[in-house]
Amino acid sequence: MKKPLLPPPNRDTTANPADLIAERFCTALLWISLGIAVVAGFMALLGRNGGKLGVTVTFAIIFVLMLATRRWWKKTDTSPDGSPLAAPVPSAPSSFTTPAPASVTASPAVQRPRILILNASLGGHDGNSARVIELITPHFAPHADVIHARLAGPGADNLLGLKNALQSSHALVIATGTHWDSWSSPLQKLLEDATPAEGTALWLGKPVSVLVTEHSTGGKGVLSRLQGVLVTLGCAIPPMSGLVLSRAAVIAAQHDPKAANDFWCADDLAVVAHNLVEAARGTRNWRTWPVDRTDFADRWLA
């Protein structure tokens, strides 16, 4: 037998719940009774069949009773204030997940937020990411409390070990190196383990900054893709809250400081820290780093 040119469409075989079937049946009877009552009423008014008047009254009474029943039914699906009841939140498969509320509102302002700084680099406390964290931490000190954690090296944490720190923090900083156009393998493992917690209070609405180090290329792609993953988990990205510190940019700045003005540098960490604190506080006094607005279109290739 020949296969069809196009495969048959997938059909939804999920059974409707009993209460939905009963509600639809009730609605159908409601409109049928109304239709019969209207037709019988018109016939009685035209004098074609006086006996229809009794039928009209009977079906009108049925219609009123069923309408009242349906309204009562609807009220049982609402909360005392008349709003629809929220669907039950399914139980989380892992112990570290915290279900998010059905209706999320803006977090109250926090005067001194707690910020979790996560060193996700393979180098641990000896790598370039550790140095970037050393440079950005003093910018947080006057305005926020900082919690440090590492994913590699002695005393490394995993997602379960970070549960309390993640739950108690108001914002996150993630620092990673660039490894074959991607972030570190410990960070990838953390993100995979965090899959059951997607969209839960562990991440939802928390501002996050991403700090990437690279030798020469690939870091910007890592930054953009990692920010996209974090947004999918539920985090928020403040403006100018991620950057790439490159060895190539450092060398360029040593040889031609003016030409390297539009490269990310350690001074830009102050802007990242400020904007992250602003987002964690719920305020919006953003800052920007210097932007090349003059010779960005100049030809530089000889």
Side-chain angles (χ1 to χ4, degrees):
M1 182 177 180
K2 293 184 178 180
K3 293 184 179 180
L5 182 62
L6 295 176
N10 294 328
R11 300 186 182 275
D12 183 8
T13 58
T14 305
N16 291 323
D19 57 345
L20 180 60
I21 296 175
E23 181 184 348
R24 290 176 176 176
F25 180 72
C26 180
T27 302
L29 288 180
L30 180 69
W31 290 109
I32 291 172
S33 64
L34 175 61
I36 295 176
V38 170
V39 172
F42 270 109
M43 293 181 68
L45 290 174
L46 293 173
R48 296 182 179 179
N49 192 340
K52 294 294 183 182
L53 183 59
V55 177
T56 303
V57 174
T58 301
F59 277 97
I61 294 174
I62 294 175
F63 173 76
V64 172
L65 290 176
M66 295 190 68
L67 181 62
T69 302
R70 189 169 184 271
R71 286 183 176 176
W72 171 83
W73 193 327
K74 283 293 185 182
K75 286 183 180 180
T76 61
D77 293 335
T78 60
S79 58
D81 62 355
S83 60
L85 292 175
V89 179
S91 57
S94 302
S95 60
F96 57 79
T97 59
T98 303
S103 178
V104 180
T105 57
S107 301
V110 179
Q111 185 61 30
R112 188 174 179 84
R114 289 184 298 276
I115 298 177
L116 172 61
I117 301 181
L118 183 60
N119 183 348
S121 171
L122 291 176
H125 58 79
D126 294 325
N128 292 298
S129 294
R131 177 55 181 158
V132 173
I133 291 173
E134 289 179 1
L135 294 174
I136 197 172
T137 299
H139 295 294
F140 290 123
H143 314 289
D145 297 322
V146 175
I147 307 170
H148 290 276
R150 283 198 315 272
L151 296 182
D157 292 297
N158 54 22
L159 185 60
L160 190 59
L162 292 171
K163 172 186 173 183
N164 293 333
L166 283 168
Q167 287 180 335
S168 64
S169 63
H170 300 103
L172 309 172
V173 176
I174 299 178
T176 178
T178 300
H179 308 279
W180 294 104
D181 294 327
S182 191
W183 45 80
S184 68
S185 53
L187 180 55
Q188 178 63 25
K189 178 66 165 56
L190 179 80
L191 296 173
E192 292 172 359
D193 292 341
T195 299
E198 178 184 349
T200 67
L202 204 65
W203 310 97
L204 197 61
K206 290 187 179 180
V208 59
S209 293
V210 177
L211 310 177
V212 179
T213 58
E214 65 171 11
H215 276 232
S216 56
T217 61
K220 182 58 174 67
V222 173
L223 171 64
S224 298
R225 290 190 296 109
L226 184 52
Q227 286 179 324
V229 171
L230 293 169
V231 166
T232 303
L233 280 175
C235 294
I237 306 296
M240 294 189 169
S241 60
L243 56 73
V244 180
L245 293 182
S246 168
R247 182 187 181 192
V250 172
I251 295 174
Q254 293 172 349
H255 287 79
D256 191 347
K258 183 179 179 181
N261 280 341
D262 198 42
F263 296 166
W264 274 311
C265 64
D267 292 341
D268 297 326
L269 292 171
V271 174
V272 173
H274 173 86
N275 289 346
L276 185 66
V277 171
E278 285 293 306
R281 283 177 172 173
T283 48
R284 296 293 184 269
N285 300 316
W286 311 120
R287 292 181 184 173
T288 65
W289 47 57
V291 178
D292 179 10
R293 305 186 191 278
T294 56
D295 61 350
F296 61 89
D298 289 350
R299 175 176 171 175
W300 47 265
L301 186 61

